[in-house]
Amino acid sequence: MSTPPLFAVILAGGSGTRFWPASTRELPKQFLKLAGKRTLLAETHARIASLIPLERTLVVTAAAYAGLVQKTLKRLPPGNILAEPCARNTAAAVAWAALEIEAREPGAAHVVLPSDHVIHPAPRLRDALRAACDEACASGALVTFGVRPSYPATGYGYIEIGSALGEHQKLAIHAVQRFVEKPDRARAESFLASGRFLWNSGMFAWTTSSILSALREFAPAVHGPLSLARASERASLYPGLPSISVDHAILEKARNVRVVPVDFTWSDVGSWSAIPEVTTPDAHGNSASGGTTVITEDARGCVVYGKLGELTALIGVENMVVVRAGKCVLVCPKDRAQDVKKIVTRLENEGPSFL
Amino acid sequence: MSTPPLFAVILAGGSGTRFWPASTRELPKQFLKLAGKRTLLAETHARIASLIPLERTLVVTAAAYAGLVQKTLKRLPPGNILAEPCARNTAAAVAWAALEIEAREPGAAHVVLPSDHVIHPAPRLRDALRAACDEACASGALVTFGVRPSYPATGYGYIEIGSALGEHQKLAIHAVQRFVEKPDRARAESFLASGRFLWNSGMFAWTTSSILSALREFAPAVHGPLSLARASERASLYPGLPSISVDHAILEKARNVRVVPVDFTWSDVGSWSAIPEVTTPDAHGNSASGGTTVITEDARGCVVYGKLGELTALIGVENMVVVRAGKCVLVCPKDRAQDVKKIVTRLENEGPSFL
């Protein structure tokens, strides 16, 4: 079988503020250097650059971030940025990108990648992408990537694997038994123990024709308007589209869904407390992000964020998050990192200049 | 009795780094806004401005800080800054200032005031200064100010009061029974319970002739060289002077020492953990210094320092010191604030650019 051209669709429209004060509406998480010297978006591209060139990479993002995307990926053709006028979740983004690819290269396959996750080592990701694309091209399946869990995470959705259906590139392909929403702790532990549940990584591989067929069948309110419009008019239709995720709209309904179990290190880096998962801590378990220098006396398990050329000094503290960004400093225990959103909500009323 | 002209000598040569990263060698504590909108030095002058004009105020400081002093006290005559080429403790500073005052205005009296303490309310300080000067002029005594202790402080020296010797301005004047070095906790508690021990505030009032006599008698190695030199040459003698405090050299030896018991609020602001003593905490006991905005969720007893226009967000932390200054952030529990010097010592070797 001949391999069709492979495209990448990078989803870079997120605007969350769980990484405030580093992330803001003007500079969301995918544009931060949370886990290395490059931004998460730059790392996302770098991991697949040897597999898929920028000419075949589309980035779907909010119109407000188009400039940041171009600045991050300088050689990305400007026409490869699909600038959404408003957020309509992933089904609309996936549909728009698929229609664009189908117009450029009928019969192609593509992978869909979030821009704000951390994965390593990159070669293992590329192996998995190749295997998934082979399966997608061979069977027309919609292929997901299931990460073998390393702890009983309650913050991720899970995929229960079904029967083995063969292999590509020495990686097994499985049917999907079911998708499961974020479990409570006890369920997460039973998932881990069973060996049959994988973290749903939010990445996909499929042929363009397969995903367009599925969108036509399961998300006609998204697919219909976009497919009927000219390419140049799709953005203007956005406000009228339903806001629905590709997982709910398609993956949980389609019959031809597969999963590639993978064992690379993966994190969606959901909050400051996830930084230790994606950096190399010092001998006392303190993790630095963003380039800051850290000096400690009797400090353990802390997460520090700051810029290159800045210094954070920690004395006698444990499991503390210390973030410096712009005009703001944040200090909170790791297990309160989710409460950052409370501060953000209050600042919307009390101090918008700090957002 | 006619009252002689009253001068002020402000000691502003301190170079400590207990308030790192806010205080540095280039900008020591007296030049920080630790307890209000003005620097500690500016507040020191403001408290006495209605009693002693800048024309009769001398500031003894390190040569490196002369510019900062002038910038802080813009209308201070430049000739009123005595710029020390090296630090030689307080006896040398007091001797130099006394000789300068004696040359300008024979027969004057003066008060000696540290530049980095916090005192309020100012009118009560001025009442005490007036009473002490009256006593100094009437009896020729060396007058100290003893602050009634509000808690069993182990960080201050104490003065045990002796017999009552009369009053001025409705304030009692007492003999000094003895000076006591910083006590341990048990002793500090017995001092507090006895009612006879006062904190040694490091402020003095005396006639210029009295302190010069005492220096001649008890600190001839300081007084001799300085008194024999021309005014313009005193700075050049500094390197050869002994480094000794006026307390040890004079107060603990002279026979004519008096104390005015005072009950204003006083703190030498010895470390970050003293900030709550000199600021007004919020409803949860969090104290802000330096002008920063603070937003808290479930935070108690914290000390925050940052500039006007900056924000510090605290979530779920207690009794924590959080300082942002220049390129640095410091986080440590209040009861570890003395360990800041360990960081400073390490940075001298590992990262001098952060000092």
Side-chain angles (χ1 to χ4, degrees):
Chain A
M1 142 197 122
S2 73
T3 306
L6 180 58
F7 282 69
V9 175
I10 297 179
L11 304 177
S15 62
T17 49
R18 285 172 300 176
F19 283 86
W20 180 89
S23 71
T24 60
R25 279 181 176 59
E26 283 73 42
L27 192 76
K29 178 187 165 201
Q30 59 270 33
F31 301 107
L32 299 181
K33 296 168 185 171
L34 288 178
K37 291 184 179 168
R38 292 183 288 203
T39 66
L40 296 183
L41 171 60
E43 295 281 0
T44 298
H45 161 65
R47 282 192 293 268
I48 61 163
S50 65
L51 192 63
I52 307 170
L54 279 172
E55 290 65 37
R56 293 205 305 269
T57 298
L58 299 184
V59 180
V60 190
T61 191
Y65 308 145
L68 282 169
V69 169
Q70 189 70 74
K71 198 177 148 194
T72 305
L73 305 174
K74 291 196 172 52
R75 290 188 289 192
L76 182 71
N80 286 13
I81 299 176
L82 305 186
E84 302 177 300
C86 56
R88 283 295 179 269
N89 213 325
T90 50
V94 163
W96 188 7
L99 289 163
E100 180 70 24
I101 292 168
E102 184 68 8
R104 293 190 189 191
E105 188 83 42
H110 63 271
V111 296
V112 176
L113 307 170
S115 60
D116 61 349
H117 294 179
V118 170
I119 296 170
H120 62 89
R124 211 175 291 174
L125 168 67
R126 291 192 295 268
D127 289 345
L129 294 176
R130 278 190 202 95
C133 288
D134 284 354
E135 172 63 21
C137 291
S139 71
L142 307 178
V143 186
T144 63
F145 299 83
V147 181
R148 289 188 206 285
S150 51
Y151 65 96
T154 56
Y156 295 141
Y158 284 74
I159 298 170
E160 184 177 7
I161 59 172
S163 51
L165 300 174
E167 65 170 49
H168 291 282
Q169 313 271 352
K170 298 183 183 168
L171 289 175
I173 308 292
H174 283 258
V176 169
Q177 184 70 25
R178 58 174 171 144
F179 290 90
V180 186
E181 301 276 346
K182 296 175 184 177
D184 61 20
R185 177 81 190 188
R187 252 184 123 204
E189 284 175 352
S190 76
F191 287 176
L192 182 64
S194 78
R196 292 181 298 111
F197 288 83
L198 307 172
W199 291 336
N200 184 354
S201 69
M203 299 187 290
F204 311 103
W206 41 50
T207 63
T208 311
S209 61
S210 293
I211 188 62
L212 286 173
S213 294
L215 285 161
R216 192 179 301 115
E217 181 175 358
F218 299 109
V222 174
H223 178 269
L226 289 175
S227 66
L228 293 171
R230 293 166 197 265
S232 62
E233 288 168 355
R234 287 184 184 127
S236 66
L237 297 173
Y238 247 68
L241 299 180
S243 184
I244 181 167
S245 74
V246 71
D247 298 79
H248 285 305
I250 309 297
L251 278 305
E252 293 175 13
K253 293 175 180 162
R255 293 159 300 273
N256 57 336
V257 180
R258 307 274 186 272
V259 59
V260 184
V262 293
D263 56 3
F264 44 66
T265 296
W266 170 86
S267 172
D268 77 352
V269 206
S271 74
W272 287 117
S273 60
I275 293 296
E277 297 171 19
V278 298
T279 56
T280 306
D282 71 13
H284 306 288
N286 301 301
S287 304
S289 173
T292 185
T293 300
V294 178
I295 184 168
T296 65
E297 280 281 332
D298 193 22
R300 278 180 295 278
C302 294
V303 169
V304 174
Y305 179 91
K307 283 197 305 187
L308 192 67
E310 296 178 343
L311 173 73
T312 306
L314 306 176
I315 304 173
V317 287
E318 241 177 281
N319 296 321
M320 203 63 77
V321 173
V322 178
V323 180
R324 171 189 177 141
K327 295 175 287 186
C328 303
V329 170
L330 164 72
V331 178
C332 74
K334 276 196 290 194
D335 62 9
R336 297 291 296 271
Q338 76 284 1
D339 288 344
V340 167
K341 61 176 182 281
K342 290 188 189 173
I343 295 285
V344 171
T345 302
R346 282 178 50 195
L347 286 176
E348 283 167 354
N349 299 311
E350 299 169 28
S353 70
F354 295 115
L355 288 177
Chain B
M1 147 195 117
S2 75
T3 307
L6 180 59
F7 282 70
V9 175
I10 298 178
L11 304 176
S15 62
T17 49
R18 285 174 299 176
F19 283 87
W20 180 87
S23 72
T24 60
R25 279 178 178 60
E26 283 72 43
L27 192 76
K29 178 187 164 199
Q30 59 270 30
F31 302 107
L32 299 181
K33 296 170 185 170
L34 289 177
K37 292 185 179 169
R38 291 182 290 204
T39 66
L40 296 184
L41 171 59
E43 295 281 1
T44 298
H45 161 66
R47 283 192 293 268
I48 60 162
S50 65
L51 190 63
I52 306 171
L54 279 173
E55 290 67 33
R56 294 205 305 270
T57 298
L58 300 184
V59 180
V60 190
T61 192
Y65 308 145
L68 282 170
V69 169
Q70 189 71 73
K71 197 177 150 194
T72 306
L73 305 174
K74 291 196 172 51
R75 290 187 290 191
L76 181 72
N80 286 13
I81 299 175
L82 304 187
E84 302 178 300
C86 56
R88 283 297 179 267
N89 213 325
T90 50
V94 162
W96 188 6
L99 289 164
E100 180 71 23
I101 293 169
E102 184 67 6
R104 293 189 189 191
E105 189 84 41
H110 63 271
V111 296
V112 175
L113 308 170
S115 60
D116 60 349
H117 294 177
V118 169
I119 296 170
H120 61 89
R124 212 175 289 174
L125 168 67
R126 292 193 294 269
D127 289 345
L129 293 176
R130 279 190 201 95
C133 288
D134 285 355
E135 173 63 19
C137 292
S139 71
L142 308 178
V143 186
T144 63
F145 299 82
V147 180
R148 290 188 205 287
S150 51
Y151 66 96
T154 56
Y156 294 142
Y158 284 74
I159 299 172
E160 184 178 6
I161 59 172
S163 52
L165 300 174
E167 66 168 50
H168 292 282
Q169 313 271 355
K170 299 186 180 167
L171 290 175
I173 309 293
H174 283 259
V176 168
Q177 185 69 25
R178 58 173 172 143
F179 290 91
V180 186
E181 300 276 346
K182 296 174 183 178
D184 62 19
R185 177 80 189 190
R187 253 185 121 204
E189 284 176 352
S190 75
F191 287 176
L192 182 64
S194 77
R196 292 181 298 112
F197 288 82
L198 307 172
W199 291 336
N200 184 354
S201 70
M203 299 188 291
F204 311 104
W206 40 49
T207 63
T208 312
S209 62
S210 293
I211 187 62
L212 286 174
S213 294
L215 286 160
R216 193 178 301 116
E217 182 175 358
F218 299 109
V222 174
H223 178 270
L226 290 175
S227 66
L228 293 171
R230 294 166 198 265
S232 62
E233 288 167 355
R234 286 182 184 127
S236 66
L237 298 173
Y238 247 68
L241 299 179
S243 183
I244 181 168
S245 76
V246 70
D247 299 80
H248 286 307
I250 309 297
L251 278 306
E252 294 175 10
K253 293 175 180 163
R255 294 159 301 272
N256 57 337
V257 180
R258 308 274 186 272
V259 59
V260 184
V262 294
D263 56 3
F264 44 67
T265 296
W266 170 86
S267 171
D268 77 351
V269 206
S271 75
W272 286 116
S273 61
I275 293 295
E277 298 171 19
V278 299
T279 55
T280 305
D282 71 13
H284 305 288
N286 301 301
S287 304
S289 174
T292 184
T293 299
V294 178
I295 185 168
T296 65
E297 281 281 333
D298 193 21
R300 278 180 295 280
C302 294
V303 169
V304 174
Y305 179 90
K307 282 197 305 188
L308 191 69
E310 295 177 344
L311 173 74
T312 306
L314 305 176
I315 303 173
V317 287
E318 241 176 281
N319 297 318
M320 204 62 78
V321 173
V322 178
V323 179
R324 172 190 176 141
K327 295 176 285 186
C328 304
V329 169
L330 164 72
V331 178
C332 75
K334 277 197 289 193
D335 62 10
R336 297 290 297 270
Q338 76 284 0
D339 287 345
V340 167
K341 62 175 179 283
K342 290 188 190 175
I343 295 286
V344 171
T345 301
R346 282 178 51 194
L347 287 176
E348 282 166 356
N349 299 311
E350 299 170 28
S353 69
F354 296 116
L355 289 176

